[in-house]
Amino acid sequence: MDKILKVAIVQAAPIPLCIDQGIGQLCKYVADASGAGAELIAFGETFLGGYPIWLDEAPGAALWNHPGTKALHRILMDQAIVPGDARLAPLQKLVDERNICVSVGAHERVRSSLYNNQLLFRPEQTPLDHRKLVPTHGERLIWNRGDGSTLSVHQATWGHVGNLICWEHWMPLARAAMHNLHEDVHVACWPSVRETYAIASRHYAFEGGCHVLAAGTVMHRADLLNGLTMVGGDADAQALIEEIPDQQLQFGGSLIIAPDGSIVAEAKDDAMTLTAEINLAAGAEAKAALDTDGHYSRADVFELSVDTREKLGVRWDPHKSE
């Protein structure tokens, strides 16, 4: 029996740095996509706050004690969402009223650390966190590592949906853990969906027997400077950003992918909302040939253990010494 779900990827330019303004923009995009019938809406990596592209594009960004890098870090710390952030209430209200799910990336602050968190908003429940397990290369200058407590999926009325972020799609054991959670739809979050990222996303769909929304964003240097102005500006941060060539920096390329790895819908490099109707029954059919969590798992040979405990790093002993 067919089981049709309308999905959307909002491939748009974020408002870098200024998360307060970005939440308002996000809600507008969600309202528009859900108004067009989308039941699951995906945004790219760290859409709230924007991907820290200066780590890749500004030659001096990784220098020790660089004033521009420090200024941008301070701005992200000031702006970042926090667990239970009241600023996200308008988005949760939209999700509740329209009975939809929304996957969106954000800079999150926990204590004094920043995390790359892909939040899954779902009706009448708190958002489901997924904090990136391994920040990639220069990203370690900004983000802490997530732990196994945020490896999970949401049980929607139509099936299971989960997230992984960027190069987590090349972590074989992370993929195996997510396949064990029986995703019907997987959101693969990227800054841009480059050729190799598209390969990883299509591989995930085929390996997991699920639909994949590979969500990218678009961004120009002008967006970074505009976001900096919105948070009050900073001369050191501006000088670092102006080391970046004045051009497009993120190139979209979002894909909606079927469980056989074929492309259902594809975006180019400009801002747009990519939509498709997907048949969730195709996932069950795909597993007739390949079920990596079942008949292809060889449980008699291989065993995966996943530690889902939250790792806070500090434990306060409640017992007072005599």
Side-chain angles (χ1 to χ4, degrees), residues 174-315:
R175 296 199 314 267
M178 294 301 290
H179 297 333
N180 178 253
L181 297 174
H182 302 156
E183 291 171 296
D184 295 286
V185 183
H186 173 78
V187 179
C189 319
W190 307 93
S192 304
V193 186
R194 304 174 185 173
E195 181 183 11
T196 50
Y197 300 177
I199 291 168
S201 301
R202 295 178 70 180
H203 174 272
Y204 191 99
F206 186 82
E207 180 182 73
C210 60
H211 284 84
V212 170
L213 308 186
T217 59
V218 294
M219 186 163 63
H220 294 73
R221 190 186 77 164
D223 297 316
L224 276 172
L225 292 170
N226 182 52
L228 181 62
T229 299
M230 287 186 178
V231 294
D234 182 277
D236 291 329
Q238 181 170 334
L240 179 63
I241 292 170
E242 288 178 346
E243 291 182 20
I244 300 171
D246 186 9
Q247 60 189 23
Q248 186 167 353
L249 303 171
Q250 290 176 213
F251 297 90
S254 299
L255 301 170
I256 298 172
I257 307 162
D260 63 359
S262 64
I263 296 173
V264 177
E266 181 174 7
K268 300 301 183 184
D269 63 358
D270 54 346
M272 65 169 295
T273 297
L274 187 69
T275 61
E277 290 188 345
I278 59 175
N279 184 1
L280 299 179
E285 294 174 356
K287 291 180 177 65
L290 177 65
D291 181 5
T292 55
D293 186 57
H295 65 250
Y296 253 81
S297 69
R298 284 303 304 270
D300 57 323
V301 178
F302 305 107
E303 184 177 56
L304 173 62
S305 176
V306 183
D307 188 345
T308 60
R309 292 174 296 173
E310 186 177 19
K311 304 296 178 64
L312 297 175
V314 176
R315 184 181 66 200

Side-chain angles (χ1 to χ4, degrees), residues 6 8 29 57 70 90-91 106 112 140 149 164 166 168 180-181 185 196 225 227 232 246 256 265 293 309 312 321:
K6 186 165 185 179
Y29 285 137
E57 302 291 343
K70 292 194 298 183
L91 175 59
S112 296
R140 296 168 202 178
S149 68
L164 285 178
C166 203
E168 289 183 317
N180 178 253
L181 297 174
V185 183
T196 50
L225 292 170
D246 186 9
I256 298 172
D293 186 57
R309 292 174 296 173
L312 297 175
S321 58

